[in-house]
Amino acid sequence: MAIEYRGCRQLVYAPVTADAVTGITFGAVKTLAPVQKISHEATRENKKVYYDDELTNVIYGKSAGTVTFTIGVPSDEVLADIQGKFYDPTTGAFSDTDSNEDKFFACGYIMGEVGDAEDEDYVWKCKGTFEVTGTEHVTKDDGTDTTNITLAYTCVDPKARFAHGGADGMGGKSKGVRVKASKSTMTEEVFFATAQTIDTYLAYEPEDPEDPPEGD
């Protein structure tokens, strides 16, 4: 039996509060919306160079990653937050205007697997921007059809450099961290309590339930 993808849940986000070569920090984690579908798309451009009628080199560009979520309609507070727009919760007034600057967020979610063994992937993307790419409203009829929202999250390379970043894990860039629930040193609650990076995850030491409390 093959392993296939089935299931997705726990879509959350957290603002990036600071990002420098020395590190990246995040604000409080918030629930974004119920999620119905998660799609990943990565594009990596390359240029082939020929000399003397032969292919001599291939130049690769940076990989741009986009995660697309099909979600239930978020609250106006959440929509205003992730789009950088004004919302007055007292009066319900939402100012539909372009933001003056990009707001960056970490984004977390869970993806399921079924087949030979059921498992889940815990995911945090470190930095990116949200954009509502699709909404649709249709007239009521004698059917039961409803619509939802398509939300695109475009990953951005953090300025931060990570001790376990890079393709070899020896230091460098990292856009996020993904771990199997079956192998995770963090429980689901701990993993999503704060935004995680490859370094914060690997530095985590779970408490030993047999250790006595401090002071005993």
Side-chain angles (χ1 to χ4, degrees):
M1 182 183 294
I3 294 177
E4 296 181 314
Y5 295 130
R6 178 180 173 84
C8 56
R9 60 189 183 88
Q10 189 70 8
L11 180 57
V12 296
Y13 72 103
V16 174
T17 54
D19 181 23
V21 174
T22 53
I24 186 170
T25 58
F26 309 96
V29 174
K30 303 176 183 179
T31 298
L32 203 158
V35 60
Q36 184 182 82
K37 183 178 180 181
I38 301 175
S39 302
H40 294 80
E41 180 180 355
T43 57
R44 189 181 185 189
E45 296 182 354
N46 64 75
K47 177 182 178 182
K48 297 178 180 179
V49 181
Y50 291 84
Y51 287 100
D52 296 328
D53 297 334
E54 293 184 358
L55 176 63
T56 58
N57 197 10
V58 180
I59 302 172
Y60 290 96
K62 287 187 176 181
S63 175
T66 300
V67 187
T68 301
F69 303 101
T70 303
I71 59 175
V73 180
S75 68
D76 284 342
E77 291 93 334
V78 169
L79 282 174
D81 193 14
I82 63 176
Q83 295 182 100
K85 298 182 178 183
F86 171 76
Y87 174 72
D88 180 11
T90 302
T91 63
F94 185 100
S95 180
D96 192 5
T97 182
D98 292 334
S99 175
N100 292 328
E101 58 182 346
D102 286 333
K103 295 186 69 176
F104 295 105
F105 300 92
C107 182
Y109 48 93
I110 295 176
M111 303 178 296
E113 294 179 354
V114 296
D116 293 334
E118 292 194 7
D119 209 340
E120 289 184 314
D121 288 325
Y122 298 165
V123 181
W124 270 107
K125 298 293 187 183
C126 291
K127 186 177 181 180
T129 59
F130 288 107
E131 181 181 2
V132 176
T133 57
T135 62
E136 184 180 44
H137 296 261
V138 297
T139 187
K140 293 181 180 179
D141 56 21
D142 58 357
T144 59
D145 290 345
T146 58
T147 60
N148 43 34
I149 282 181
T150 304
L151 182 70
Y153 177 81
T154 302
C155 300
V156 176
D157 276 321
K159 297 176 184 177
R161 296 297 179 264
F162 302 91
H164 299 282
D168 58 3
M170 299 300 290
K173 297 180 179 180
S174 174
K175 290 183 179 180
V177 58
R178 175 177 63 83
V179 299
K180 293 291 185 190
S182 58
K183 295 184 177 181
S184 178
T185 57
M186 292 181 174
T187 63
E188 178 183 328
E189 291 74 19
V190 172
F191 190 84
F192 291 101
T194 58
Q196 305 293 335
T197 69
I198 185 65
D199 285 354
T200 60
Y201 174 76
L202 290 177
Y204 177 75
E205 295 183 0
E207 294 182 3
D208 189 337
E210 297 183 1
D211 286 345
E214 291 185 9
D216 289 357

